[in-house]
């Protein structure tokens, strides 16, 4: 383990030609105005290299979700610039952001957010439907080990299974980046570990850049890079020389 | 392949099927009414026109006292006249076995050979009278049916004062007598008025019309100018006692039917929009609630890169599916019900055949309008979908803000907790609660208004027969006779009181406006048949001039003090200038009154009467009727009870059924509104209710919190519905009213009561259904899941 500058490069980059997935510069986010204004982000600079697993670690309320939403094009920064590859997200209008999400980003949320009225397969199809080069929904479910549950409705699945469907749904369109907001937050440790393994497999097999928000420090072991978040900015960046297998993670 | 979003749509529909059906029913009923009514209007119009066309109903009718047959050629030579048929008609009294009072009949001639060129008949049974058999007649089928008569039976009738015996050889219908009304009466009565057809030579012999005619029928070429032809015919016939030619539009049977059809067309335009407005409102709140509940899903879809338009379209499709489903069911129901109704009306009007026609435009309009109304309801919601930022949507919604209801804190302290919850919700959502109340109110208003219309009919009947006309018997003379005839009537044993009346057929005109009707001359201090004002007080009839009802004055655009031109259509047919002495609101109808003496003076025919009203000793009725029948000057005798019974029968056949339809309508709308409001309240409050249950509240108490607000909304809606219905009834009444009828929008407390009962019943049913849903909900389970 060694310390690095917040904006520093990495020696684990896949190749000299691959540009970073994300670059952010002086990103601020202020909710509301005047006395009731909340400074959720107070100037964030970061670089997320392509193909890595990056964990964003910090206490509740420190602005992690806010940052993830901005990177994912769900929200806009109040100040500063964010770019994905060579696209400046700050310059995109709503339609542009929609297209960006549609083409490049997969989301996984803490509460799974499956459509309760659609089966597992159908929830995946919801995304493959509008993707350019999706994998078959069955393959996506096989990837998360849920082939047997393809025709179950969310209400018939356990929390861990639901989250795996959510991951299948997110990766089925072969996104360049997978943004996960506390994906294990609602799960017990064994189930959580299974979900993390799936994320690691996706990263390994598809080369997807994975950015995962969590407040559980133990998760950091499986990351290539850990961004320590506090009070609206990145306090420091830790680059792991070796990644732990999720199965070894102490919960 | 069905896309996953569409599959979600189908499952959503299945999940909310109760609500979808309730809304679909409201839309469907609106479309059903539209399709049924317009189909009915189109079919009846088409059938009527086809019937007229096939049996060559005349375009112009020209009655005359006695014109030589050679004038037929002159009439045919009028430019624009394509065919002429002359004929003889006369009034007759027909003996009815077992009835003291003879029925009235019109005798109409058939050409001795061949078919009638105009006003042909449709033989339904038997054969035509044979040439040279003057005792053979055809009888109007409806009349024959009413008395159980048929071919082979013998019929005794008094014609021109002479009693004769006839043999019925056939039964017939005619486009000219679809609607048969005894002279001087307004409503049809199959039993008391018949038509006898017999050969021209036989009828001419009976009425001294050999070589002459007393009515000419004219058909016009397509390019003919009707007014010019009527003028020319009047000029030709003037010297022979022409009483004024008139167009088919004025013909009594045709006019009745056309007005009936016009009344249906009014309902077709006014009723469906109310349903569609209610449906739009319902869709708005139901889909609005759905979007609220699915904000996370919406945010998620947007996070995945679905565009606003795609997500909006998803919810919009739901709206469209419900609207289209309802509209489709409505169209089908409208066709089925429309067909049944057309048959009912066909029987009512005695059309010999039926052209069932659907108005394709009605389907298009029905579907388009309901989709548009639903879209209006849905669009407001879809706008909210657009506005929802994805990141925002992913956060659980903030607890609803009840601070606005804080000012009720003081009042609230008087209430228990559950009542306070009910009150706060109502105060927090005034627009939605108001909308729901308005929806229920409009259901109630519709039924109140329709009931009021029928109440109005009833009231007209009551006023006419109970208040205006207090006689037992009305005698009509063949022509204006000397008032000495009245002494003859008064001398009959059992006749208690005799009052003269004179009806003078005339065309009243003022400037360009004219009205074909009659002037009623009444004696001073009349007691049996009275001119009454709207308050029921007697209208004083002045020494000179006319007293017009307000409605008639409005038709003619005339004010008190101005003069009317009165084109008298009988006797010497003078054209008089009569001053309008006064205009009053009258109790019923649109009459023109005059003092009997003043009327006779103006006509220069002193001491003439056209009829008499009698009160009699009912024990001697039979003897009196027999005597009356033997008087050559008596054209008809009608007993008030018979006339009244005929109307009541008429009302019961049509209006009786309508009451139930109106009740069903109020039920559908109220049910649609209350059930949806209740389901939404249930969905929004499941967690609150679960919390209450966890805290130890009973099921009943929890249900009270849920249903209490609906009870309040329903109770608020009742007086509102009554008020709107009251206003609506005036609008519809004026649509239904015609020159022939004036429908007062009478409101009976019973109408309100019936409508309110239906509304409460519907509210109760929907409340029970939702209570059942509530009981089935695993309330504790609800708390464990995130909404
Ligand atoms: N829409 C919003 N309006 C106002 N404040 C917000 C909003 N979203 C987040 N915040 C505030 O911003 C801060 C950071 O929130 P968040 O990014 O959700 O933190 P984390 O995900 O690290 O727990 C918190 O103080 C939160 O209350
Ligand atoms: Mg968070």
């Amino acid at each position: 383990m060694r310390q690095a500058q917040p904006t520093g490069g990495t020696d684990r980059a896949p190749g000299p030609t691959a540009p970073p997935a994300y670059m952010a510069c002086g990103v601020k986010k202020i909710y509301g105005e005047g006395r009731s204004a909340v400074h959720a982000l107070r100037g964030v600079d970061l670089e997320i290299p392509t193909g890595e697993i990056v964990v964003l670690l910090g206490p509740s309320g420190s602005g992690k979700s806010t940052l993830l939403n901005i990177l994912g094009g769900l929200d806009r920064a109040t100040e500063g610039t964010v770019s994905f590859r060579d696209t400046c997200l700050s310059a995109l209008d709503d339609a542009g952001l929609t297209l960006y999400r549609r083409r490049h980003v997969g989301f996984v949320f803490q509460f799974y957010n499956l459509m309760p009225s659609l089966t597992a397969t159908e929830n995946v199809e919801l995304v493959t439907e509008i993707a350019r080069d999706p994998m078959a929904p069955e393959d996506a479910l096989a990837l998360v080990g849920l082939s047997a549950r393809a025709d179950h409705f969310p209400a018939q699945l356990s929390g861990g299974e639901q989250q795996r469907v959510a991951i299948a749904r997110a990766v089925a369109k072969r996104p360049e980046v997978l943004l996960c907001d506390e994906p294990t937050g609602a799960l017990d440790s064994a189930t959580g570990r299974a979900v993390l393994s799936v994320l690691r497999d996706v990263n390994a097999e598809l080369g997807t850049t994975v950015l995962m928000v969590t407040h559980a420090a133990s998760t950091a072991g499986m990351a290539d890079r850990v961004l320590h978040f506090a009070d609206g900015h990145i306090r420091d960046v830790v680059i792991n020389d070796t990644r732990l297998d999720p199965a070894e993670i102490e919960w | 392949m069905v896309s996953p979003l569409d599959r979600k749509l189908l499952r959503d529909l299945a999940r909310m099927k109760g609500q979808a059906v309730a809304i679909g029913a409201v839309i469907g009923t609106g479309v059903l009414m539209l399709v049924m009514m317009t189909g009915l209007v189109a079919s009846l119009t088409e059938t009527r026109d086809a019937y007229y066309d096939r049996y060559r109903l005349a375009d112009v009718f020209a009655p005359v006292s006695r014109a030589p047959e050679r004038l037929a050629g002159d009439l045919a030579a009028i430019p624009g006249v394509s065919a002429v048929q002359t004929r003889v008609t006369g009034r007759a009294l027909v003996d009815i076995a077992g009835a003291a009072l003879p029925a009235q009949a019109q005798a109409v001639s058939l050409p001795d050979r061949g078919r009638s060129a105009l006003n042909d008949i449709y033989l339904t049974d038997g054969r035509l009278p044979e040439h040279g058999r003057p005792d053979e007649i055809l009888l109007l089928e409806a009349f024959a049916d009413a008395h159980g008569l048929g071919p082979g039976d013998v019929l005794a009738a008094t014609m021109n004062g002479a009693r004769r015996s006839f043999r019925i050889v056939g039964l017939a219908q005619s486009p000219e007598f679809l609607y048969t009304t005894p002279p001087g009466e307004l409503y049809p009565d199959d039993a008391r008025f018949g038509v006898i057809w017999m050969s021209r030579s036989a009828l001419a012999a009976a009425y001294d019309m050999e070589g002459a005619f007393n009515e000419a029928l004219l058909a016009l070429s397509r390019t003919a100018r009707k007014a010019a032809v009527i003028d020319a015919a009047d000029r030709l016939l003037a010297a022979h006692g022409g009483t004024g030619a008139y167009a088919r539009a004025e013909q009594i049977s045709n006019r009745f039917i056309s007005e009936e059809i016009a009344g249906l067309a009014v309902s077709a335009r006014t009723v469906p929009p109310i349903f569609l407005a209610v449906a739009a409102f319902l869709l708005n709140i139901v889909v609005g609630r759905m979007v609220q509940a699915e904000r996370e899903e919406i945010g998620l879809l947007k996070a995945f890169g679905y565009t606003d338009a795609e997500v909006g379209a998803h919810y919009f499709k739901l709206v469209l599916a419900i609207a289209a489903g309802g509209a489709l069911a409505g169209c089908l129901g409208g066709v089925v019900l429309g067909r049944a109704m057309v048959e009912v009306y066909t029987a009512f009007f005695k059309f010999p055949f039926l052209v069932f026609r659907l108005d394709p435009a009605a389907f298009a309009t029905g579907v388009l309008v309901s989709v548009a109304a639903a879209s209006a309801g849905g669009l407001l919601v879809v706008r909210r979908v657009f506005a929802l930022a994805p990141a925002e949507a992913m956060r659980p919604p903030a607890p609803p803000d009840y601070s606005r209801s804080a000012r009720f804190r003081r009042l609230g302290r008087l209430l228990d907790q559950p009542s306070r919850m009910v009150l706060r919700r109502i105060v927090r959502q005034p627009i939605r609660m108001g909308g729901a109340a308005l929806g229920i109110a409009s259901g109630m208003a519709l039924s109140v208004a329709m009931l009021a219309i029928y109440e109005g009919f009833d009231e007209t009947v009551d006023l006419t027969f109970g208040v205006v006309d207090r006689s037992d018997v009305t005698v009509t003379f063949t022509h204006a006779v000397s008032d000495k005839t009245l002494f003859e009537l008064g001398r009959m044993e059992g006749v208690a009181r005799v009052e003269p009346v004179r009806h003078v057929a005339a065309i009243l005109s003022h400037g360009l406006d004219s009205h074909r009707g009659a002037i009623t001359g009444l004696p001073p201090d009349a007691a049996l048949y009275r001119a009454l004002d709207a308050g029921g007080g007697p209208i004083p009839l002045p020494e000179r001039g006319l007293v017009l009802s307000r409605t008639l004055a409005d038709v003619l655009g005339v004010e008190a003090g101005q003069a009317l031109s009165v084109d008298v259509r009988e006797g010497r047919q003078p054209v008089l200038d009569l001053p309008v002495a006064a205009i009053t609101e009258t109790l019923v109808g649109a009459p023109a009154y005059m003092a009997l003496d003043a009327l006779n003076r103006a006509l220069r025919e002193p001491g003439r009467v056209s009829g008499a009203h009698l009160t009699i000793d009912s024990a001697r009725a039979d003897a009196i009727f027999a005597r009356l029948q033997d008087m050559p000057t008596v054209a008809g005798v009608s007993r008030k009870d018979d006339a009244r019974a005929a109307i009541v029968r008429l009302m019961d056949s049509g209006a009786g059924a309508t009451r139930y339809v109106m009740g069903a309508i109020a039920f559908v709308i109220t049910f649609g509104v209350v059930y949806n409001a209740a389901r939404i309240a249930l969905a929004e409050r499941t967690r609150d209710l679960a919390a209450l249950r966890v805290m130890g509240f009973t099921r009943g108490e929890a249900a009270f919190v849920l249903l209490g607000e609906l009870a309040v909304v329903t109770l608020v809606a009742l007086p509102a519905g009554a008020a709107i219905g009251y206003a609506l009834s005036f609008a519809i009444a004026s649509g239904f009213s015609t020159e022939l009828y004036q429908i007062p929008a009478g409101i009976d407390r019973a109408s309100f009561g019936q409508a309110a009962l239906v509304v409460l019943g519907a509210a109760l049913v929907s409340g029970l259904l939702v209570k059942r849903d509530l009981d089935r909900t695993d309330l504790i389970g609800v708390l464990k899941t995130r909404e």
Side-chain angles (χ1 to χ4, degrees):
Chain A
M1 245 197 216
R2 60 190 172 88
Q3 298 283 328
Q5 289 305 303
T7 52
T10 169
D11 50 5
R12 277 182 63 95
T17 51
Y22 286 108
M23 298 271 281
C25 201
V27 172
K28 291 186 180 169
K29 178 70 185 179
I30 303 166
Y31 290 112
E33 274 169 32
R35 279 158 46 92
S36 63
V38 176
H39 292 259
L41 297 179
R42 299 168 182 271
V44 174
D45 301 309
L46 64 71
E47 184 181 315
I48 292 176
T50 297
E52 286 195 1
I53 295 182
V54 178
V55 164
L56 199 55
L57 194 63
S60 187
S62 56
K64 307 182 296 293
S65 297
T66 302
L67 178 61
L68 199 74
N69 287 345
I70 291 172
L71 294 178
L74 290 175
D75 209 347
R76 284 169 199 285
T78 314
E79 247 180 69
T81 57
V82 177
S83 45
F84 170 76
R85 303 264 175 88
D86 26 354
T87 314
C88 179
L89 297 183
S90 330
L92 293 178
D93 58 6
D94 277 349
L97 284 181
T98 299
L99 202 62
Y100 157 65
R101 296 196 299 266
R102 193 170 180 143
R103 297 255 164 93
H104 307 290
V105 191
F107 285 101
V108 177
F109 302 99
Q110 178 176 2
F111 293 106
Y112 338 130
N113 290 70
L114 299 179
M115 294 275 171
S117 55
L118 297 181
T119 62
T121 313
E122 288 165 356
N123 262 289
V124 177
E125 280 169 359
L126 200 57
V127 166
T128 57
E129 174 108 314
I130 56 169
R132 276 193 300 193
D133 176 29
M135 53 177 93
E138 307 82 65
D139 295 348
L141 284 174
L143 197 66
V144 299
L146 274 184
S147 297
R149 303 290 197 157
D151 292 327
H152 286 55
F153 283 94
Q156 299 167 312
L157 298 172
S158 72
E161 287 169 333
Q162 289 186 54
Q163 192 59 298
R164 276 144 73 196
V165 173
I167 293 171
R169 183 174 64 179
V171 300
K173 68 169 156 192
R174 306 182 203 275
E176 277 96 331
V177 291
L178 197 53
L179 303 181
C180 314
D181 195 349
E182 315 241 11
T184 58
L187 302 174
D188 61 68
S189 57
T191 323
R193 270 197 284 269
V195 166
L196 293 180
S197 313
V198 169
L199 288 176
R200 198 251 344 254
D201 294 348
V202 167
N203 170 259
E205 286 167 34
L206 305 176
T208 311
T209 307
V210 176
L211 180 57
M212 179 163 66
V213 163
T214 178
H215 61 265
S218 53
T219 317
M222 67 175 279
D224 294 300
R225 178 181 298 249
V226 183
L227 311 181
H228 285 272
F229 217 78
D231 212 13
H233 53 257
I234 295 175
R235 217 183 42 217
D236 64 345
V237 176
V238 175
I239 294 174
N240 293 337
D241 293 325
T242 50
R243 302 197 306 198
L244 289 180
D245 188 290
E248 306 163 37
I249 288 176
E250 293 297 326
W251 212 271
Chain B
M1 198 196 92
V2 188
S3 83
L5 266 190
D6 287 342
R7 238 169 293 161
K8 167 178 180 307
L9 182 90
L10 290 177
R11 295 198 184 120
D12 286 345
L13 269 176
R15 187 167 44 80
M16 55 179 286
K17 59 179 174 300
Q19 282 166 280
V21 165
I23 299 173
V26 174
I27 295 178
T29 312
V31 173
L32 180 146
M33 298 285 280
L34 184 72
V35 168
M36 182 185 83
M37 300 288 239
T38 52
L40 198 55
V41 169
S43 301
L44 290 178
T45 308
E46 192 98 330
T47 304
R48 178 197 62 191
D49 293 348
Y51 192 24
Y52 287 177
D53 195 48
R54 226 178 278 178
Y55 290 89
R56 304 183 296 283
L57 185 68
D59 294 308
V60 171
F61 295 72
V64 60
S65 294
R66 188 179 201 284
E69 186 60 30
R70 61 175 165 74
L71 273 188
D74 298 346
L75 288 169
I78 296 172
V81 171
S82 62
V84 175
Q85 173 72 53
T86 61
R87 65 182 188 178
V88 174
T89 79
R91 286 183 170 189
L93 291 174
V94 176
D95 288 354
I96 299 300
L101 201 59
Q104 309 189 39
Q106 181 167 5
V108 179
S109 69
L110 293 172
D112 283 346
R113 284 190 193 78
R115 306 289 298 200
S116 190
L118 297 173
N119 290 22
D120 199 2
I121 51 163
Y122 165 61
L123 200 63
T124 58
D125 196 5
R127 57 171 176 81
L128 290 171
E130 256 170 42
H131 182 54
R133 302 290 304 270
D135 63 326
E136 290 188 349
I137 60 167
L138 298 179
L139 203 56
L140 185 68
E141 187 185 40
F143 179 76
D145 287 349
H147 298 293
L149 294 169
D153 291 335
V154 172
L155 189 81
T158 308
M159 288 183 180
N160 208 14
R163 259 175 79 85
R164 297 178 52 188
S165 182
F166 296 101
R167 263 172 57 80
I168 303 168
V169 296
L171 303 182
Q173 293 182 348
S174 153
E176 187 182 356
F177 299 107
L178 289 172
Y179 162 80
T180 52
T181 160
E185 290 184 20
L186 269 184
Y187 300 98
D189 186 352
D190 290 342
R192 292 187 308 117
F193 185 78
V195 180
I196 295 171
W197 286 274
M198 52 197 285
S199 75
R200 171 82 178 259
S201 50
L203 200 58
Y207 287 93
D208 298 325
M209 287 282 167
E210 279 112 338
F213 62 89
N214 62 9
E215 189 175 27
L217 308 171
L218 311 179
L220 304 185
S221 62
R222 199 163 315 156
T223 55
R225 284 183 42 236
K226 207 178 286 169
V229 171
I230 288 176
D231 280 350
D234 281 348
R235 272 195 304 279
L236 270 175
L237 297 173
H240 307 278
T243 48
Y246 54 90
R248 185 196 282 178
E250 307 257 6
Q251 202 256 343
I252 194 87
S253 163
N254 174 55
R255 194 162 151 186
F256 173 78
I257 285 163
S258 302
E259 286 178 355
E260 191 77 21
I261 293 175
L264 287 173
V266 169
S267 322
R269 280 194 303 272
T270 49
V271 175
I274 299 180
F275 282 88
L276 296 178
V278 169
F281 164 74
L282 287 181
L283 278 171
N284 182 275
I285 58 168
V286 168
V287 180
R289 158 64 202 168
M290 240 182 109
V291 167
Q292 177 70 29
E294 293 185 358
R295 57 204 297 281
E296 288 179 32
E297 273 116 312
I298 293 168
L300 191 74
L301 287 172
K302 289 191 177 184
F304 290 161
Y306 277 88
T307 62
D308 283 351
E310 283 164 335
V311 181
H314 171 63
Y315 288 92
F316 203 64
K317 269 193 219 164
L318 184 88
V319 170
L320 285 188
I322 295 176
L328 212 69
C331 284
L332 281 177
V335 172
V336 173
L337 224 67
R339 228 208 116 93
M341 288 289 279
V342 167
E343 266 164 36
V344 168
Y345 270 85
T346 303
F348 179 65
F349 288 142
K350 302 181 212 65
F351 288 134
F353 54 85
L354 154 78
V355 183
F356 183 61
R357 240 202 51 153
L358 289 167
D359 187 355
F363 290 109
T365 316
V367 173
L368 277 182
V369 171
S370 47
V371 165
S375 310
L379 269 182
L380 292 172
V381 173
V382 170
R383 267 206 351 228
R384 269 192 272 161
V385 173
F386 287 172
L388 214 54
E392 186 70 32
M394 307 300 288
R395 258 184 297 276
D401 179 9
Y402 281 91
S403 58
R404 227 191 319 163
S405 58
R407 58 195 138 105
F408 288 88
R409 198 165 293 153
R410 194 101 72 87
L411 174 64
R413 230 169 275 156
L414 298 174
L415 301 168
D416 58 4
Q417 277 302 338
S419 306
R420 228 178 289 179
M421 291 175 75
V422 168
L423 184 72
R424 294 236 168 97
R425 261 181 67 89
I426 291 172
V427 171
R428 202 179 82 79
Q429 304 182 307
I431 292 180
R432 192 201 280 178
M433 295 296 167
L438 200 66
I440 297 172
S442 55
M444 164 139 172
L446 263 183
S447 65
V448 163
M450 291 317 241
L451 286 173
I453 298 297
Y454 292 103
E455 222 62 66
F457 275 115
D458 284 353
E459 197 176 303
T460 309
V461 171
D462 284 346
L463 290 176
T464 306
F465 292 100
V467 182
V468 171
D469 182 354
R470 295 193 295 191
S471 69
D472 298 322
V473 174
T474 301
V475 176
T476 311
F477 299 119
T478 51
H479 57 281
V481 300
S482 160
D483 54 10
K484 301 219 170 48
T485 316
L486 298 184
F487 295 123
E488 218 176 306
L489 297 180
R491 275 204 308 273
M492 288 183 193
E493 214 172 322
V495 173
R497 191 183 165 107
V498 180
E499 263 182 30
V501 63
R502 181 161 190 192
H503 294 286
V504 176
I507 297 170
L508 309 178
S509 48
H510 179 249
L512 292 174
D513 300 313
S514 73
H515 170 78
R516 192 185 172 93
I519 298 173
T520 302
L522 295 173
D525 58 76
L528 298 186
Y529 191 93
R530 303 176 296 162
L532 298 177
D533 63 25
I539 300 173
L541 299 179
E543 282 291 298
R544 252 186 106 247
L546 289 157
V547 177
L548 299 187
S549 68
R550 169 55 46 203
T551 336
L552 183 54
D554 289 346
V555 168
L556 294 171
V558 70
E559 287 303 328
Q562 294 181 312
L564 274 191
S565 163
V566 176
D567 190 353
V568 175
R569 286 298 159 188
E570 56 180 64
R572 294 177 300 102
Q573 304 192 25
V575 179
L576 310 173
D577 262 334
L578 292 179
V580 175
I583 292 169
T584 57
E585 298 285 349
T586 49
L587 200 53
V588 284
Y593 292 120
M594 221 170 149
L596 180 59
D597 284 346
L599 179 59
N600 280 336
R601 253 199 324 277
L603 291 165
R604 302 202 196 159
E605 293 175 347
R608 293 289 168 139
V609 297
S610 67
H613 296 282
L614 316 180
T615 50
I616 61 168
D617 173 3
S618 55
R620 296 186 185 275
D622 289 3
I624 294 172
F625 296 146
R627 292 269 317 270
L628 285 173
Q629 197 178 354
D630 286 340
M631 293 174 64
T633 51
V634 169
V637 180
S638 77
R639 193 158 41 178
K640 193 173 71 180
D641 294 345
D642 293 345
R644 183 182 192 135
I647 298 168
V648 170
R649 262 202 312 280
L650 181 73
M651 305 298 301
D652 284 349
S653 58
T658 314
R659 271 165 218 252
Y660 297 108
V661 173
M662 291 307 140
I665 283 172
F667 190 91
V668 166
I669 289 197
T670 308
F671 177 75
V673 174
V674 177
Y675 181 67
N676 275 296
R679 279 307 305 247
I680 287 173
L682 175 63
E684 285 177 357
R685 315 203 60 194
T686 314
R687 291 169 71 80
D688 296 0
L689 297 174
L692 283 178
R693 298 272 289 120
V694 170
M695 283 182 271
F697 282 81
T698 65
R699 255 178 220 287
E701 283 162 341
F704 169 78
V705 171
L706 178 65
L707 300 177
E709 68 189 57
L710 297 170
V712 172
V713 165
T714 308
L715 290 180
V716 167
L718 290 182
I724 301 172
Y726 190 67
L728 192 65
S729 68
F730 281 99
I732 299 183
S734 65
F736 266 111
S737 298
T738 61
E739 281 183 44
L740 273 184
Y741 308 110
Q742 287 296 318
I743 312 295
I747 286 264
D748 187 356
R749 259 179 250 123
S751 304
F752 290 123
Q754 287 168 17
L757 275 183
V758 170
V759 166
L760 287 176
L764 204 67
V765 170
S766 28
L768 286 176
L769 278 177
V770 172
K771 168 93 166 54
R772 198 195 55 175
D773 294 340
L774 175 63
D775 289 346
R776 281 184 187 169
T777 314
D778 171 13
L779 289 177
I780 314 301
V782 166
L783 284 180
K784 294 195 194 132
T785 62
R786 273 176 93 250
E787 204 192 12

